[in-house]
Amino acid sequence: MSLSKRSWAEPFKIKMVELLKMTTPAQRQKAIKDAGYNTFLLKSEDVYIDLLTDSGTSAMSDQQWSGLMLGDEAYAGSKNFYNLEKAVHKYYGFKHLIPTHQGRGAENLLSQVLIKKGDIVPGNMYFTTTRLHQELAGGTFVDVIIDEAHDSENLFPFKGNIDLDKLTALIKKHGAKKIPYICVAVTVNMAGGQPVSMENLKALRQLTNKHGIKIMLDMTRIAENAFFIQQHEKGYAKKSVAAIVKEICSYTDGATFSGKKDALVNIGGFLAVNDQAIFEEASNLVVVYEGLHTYGGLAGRDMEAMAIGIAESVQDEHMKARIGQVQYLGDKLLEAGIPIVLPVGGHGIFIDAKRFLPHLTQDQFPAQALAAEIYTDSGVRTMERGIVSAGRNKKTGNHYYPKLELVRLTIPRRVYTQAHMDVIAESVEHVFENRKKIKGLKMIYEPKYLRFFQARFQKL
Ligand code: PM9
């Protein structure tokens, strides 16, 4: 068999395992009802395979675990901060680093430093915490992603791209002075983990340079984005994921980062910038919200594990297995005729709940109902990414009605096996066979901020 046809396998072996608990259908029916049909409110011990999120759920390597033992728990100037700083310089190329407890801590700092009341902040589709921090700082988020991203069946390989015409029109309408930066997510979570192309980033750099607008990355899943560029963009097949990651960063002015995804740690994040003045302001503000600028809410050991995880995350073999596993599950679901977002993205499979449950209206929360149903079938926990996650328009108070109404099957890194993927696929297939019986939901409790985390529902 030719080398290119041979199977991939994980570039690691398993040294320690965590036992899982199996539950009965009756136990699961009770658990999901008690959780108000919100998978965020389930107890993790009632979950068999946990696909809620890829955030903070990775298995760390033996190197990372030994890194924990090298934690220098000094309040100021810990050795581990300097190791993390070195990793950020080496792999991402940014000049200044401010650690934060996780991604949203960095989003808060960036929004407070750069956004003034009345500013416009364009981005390639919203992310829940990112948009909220932009709004809390007085800004208004505007989506400038290409239209293809809102169509779950469109096969364009870079559905995360910025629509430069939409951005140009926005600049014309409001003036560049009202736009402090554009937030570019790599990959785009809410679109299904879809990547941005290097060509698009280069063109965006030219356009924003002309207008003096900064580019701030949300580089939470940058290594996954780089892998897609390597696989699908002309001129990148022979470049390493590490080289592509660094090139992406080179077209930008800074980044927020949740280390809980790509960087294979259970907690941690940072803000990284090139501009000295922004750095100084943010490294002063961080002491108000997170901690001193050399730990930002993290223990020394957490910074060490993140520094090691960053180096592991950009290895080609790691990324091949990571994306390979997600693709494997996607292929199984496609074979069974399940409507999923295509192309398969980086961090999970996104089921199109509108096509899965065409008998439900969006007001009946089809993705929320489907996530509850999959849990009841098998104990597999997934997450709603549709109307509940989208929240309400701050000005009108009405629900946002996103075109994409999705259930996310998020794959933690280095945690589950191919056999787990088979079990997951079988459960989704079983629910699909019985889809006509699935009822919608009514929201009975709605918190003010990021409602998807804590909202409660009743079956209609
Ligand atoms: N993402 C996720 O599960 C965890 C919170 S929402 C359920 O997808 C992006 C693109 C993210 C992200 C978190 C954050 C915030 C920023 N940008 O969770 O604060 O996907 O570390 O990062 C989650 P933190």
Side-chain angles (χ1 to χ4, degrees), residues 226-451:
F227 182 78
F228 286 114
I229 290 177
Q230 184 192 62
Q231 297 300 304
H232 302 301
E233 192 162 349
K234 213 168 141 233
Y236 287 91
K238 296 216 165 77
K239 294 205 169 149
S240 65
V241 167
I244 299 170
V245 162
K246 203 151 179 192
E247 185 179 340
I248 293 173
C249 294
S250 75
Y251 300 123
T252 73
D253 299 287
T256 56
F257 184 62
S258 168
K260 299 172 72 175
K261 285 79 166 172
D262 253 12
L264 301 158
V265 285
N266 306 121
I267 195 71
F270 61 70
L271 170 64
V273 290
N274 289 330
D275 184 279
Q276 180 70 27
I278 299 174
F279 169 63
E280 278 176 20
E281 202 173 334
S283 64
N284 184 211
L285 203 58
V286 74
V287 303
V288 181
Y289 292 101
E290 306 275 323
L292 193 71
H293 58 283
T294 55
Y295 78 85
L298 294 172
R301 55 180 173 269
D302 299 327
M303 293 190 279
E304 191 65 28
M306 185 154 59
I308 297 167
I310 287 171
E312 291 178 3
S313 76
V314 297
Q315 302 307 315
D316 285 31
E317 286 308 310
H318 161 68
M319 206 39 76
K320 196 167 151 197
R322 158 69 175 155
I323 306 286
Q325 187 177 46
V326 176
Q327 185 73 52
Y328 175 84
L329 177 59
D331 288 345
K332 287 236 137 196
L333 294 175
L334 279 174
E335 271 165 37
I338 312 291
I340 62 172
V341 173
L342 292 174
V344 167
H347 61 304
I349 300 299
F350 291 65
I351 299 173
D352 185 334
K354 281 188 185 168
R355 286 192 281 142
F356 198 111
L357 301 173
H359 60 285
L360 299 186
T361 65
Q362 204 166 5
D363 286 315
Q364 294 171 330
F365 308 112
Q368 189 79 31
L370 181 54
E373 214 59 43
I374 293 170
Y375 170 75
T376 312
D377 180 72
S378 57
V380 171
R381 168 156 70 170
T382 61
M383 186 204 286
E384 191 265 9
R385 296 273 77 165
I387 184 169
V388 184
S389 296
R392 288 181 188 274
N393 182 308
K394 198 173 57 148
K395 286 181 191 132
T396 64
N398 295 332
H399 289 304
Y400 286 114
Y401 286 88
K403 286 205 179 112
L404 297 175
E405 177 71 24
L406 309 173
V407 173
R408 188 180 73 174
L409 283 61
T410 341
I411 313 297
R413 294 164 186 80
R414 309 194 292 207
V415 170
Y416 292 115
T417 66
Q418 200 151 309
H420 287 112
M421 298 302 123
D422 292 341
V423 169
I424 296 159
E426 283 163 22
S427 171
V428 175
E429 282 172 49
H430 185 247
V431 174
F432 191 58
E433 279 157 19
N434 296 289
R435 62 192 179 279
K436 292 198 176 121
K437 290 187 222 149
I438 298 174
K439 295 199 173 81
L441 298 171
K442 182 171 104 179
M443 201 186 309
I444 53 167
Y445 168 66
E446 180 176 356
K448 190 166 160 202
Y449 300 115
L450 302 173
R451 65 184 184 179

Side-chain angles (χ1 to χ4, degrees), residues 44-102:
S44 132
E45 64 174 6
D46 292 333
V47 172
Y48 171 39
I49 300 175
D50 204 347
L51 308 186
L52 184 72
T53 178
D54 63 329
S55 181
T57 54
S58 297
M60 291 205 293
S61 66
D62 51 359
Q63 298 295 313
Q64 287 177 291
W65 278 101
S66 50
L68 295 185
M69 296 306 292
L70 302 176
D72 169 10
E73 307 308 341
Y75 189 89
S78 149
K79 264 193 273 195
N80 314 112
F81 167 76
Y82 295 106
N83 289 344
L84 179 60
E85 196 180 45
K86 256 190 237 146
V88 169
H89 290 160
K90 178 170 175 193
Y91 293 103
Y92 305 135
F94 293 119
K95 283 193 194 141
H96 306 294
L97 166 74
I98 299 156
T100 56
H101 77 284
Q102 58 184 88

Side-chain angles (χ1 to χ4, degrees), residues 3-76:
L3 270 180
S4 64
K5 291 252 167 66
R6 292 203 192 165
S7 298
W8 56 268
E10 288 78 5
F12 56 80
K13 57 184 179 175
I14 297 165
K15 193 174 326 217
M16 187 189 277
V17 296
E18 180 181 334
L19 300 185
L20 299 176
K21 190 177 115 185
M22 305 292 285
T23 47
T24 64
Q27 285 169 330
R28 293 194 292 273
Q29 269 163 15
K30 180 173 179 330
I32 194 72
K33 192 169 177 217
D34 290 349
Y37 298 93
N38 185 346
T39 51
F40 276 100
L41 301 179
L42 286 167
K43 288 188 183 145
S44 132
E45 64 174 6
D46 292 333
V47 172
Y48 171 39
I49 300 175
D50 204 347
L51 308 186
L52 184 72
T53 178
D54 63 329
S55 181
T57 54
S58 297
M60 291 205 293
S61 66
D62 51 359
Q63 298 295 313
Q64 287 177 291
W65 278 101
S66 50
L68 295 185
M69 296 306 292
L70 302 176
D72 169 10
E73 307 308 341
Y75 189 89

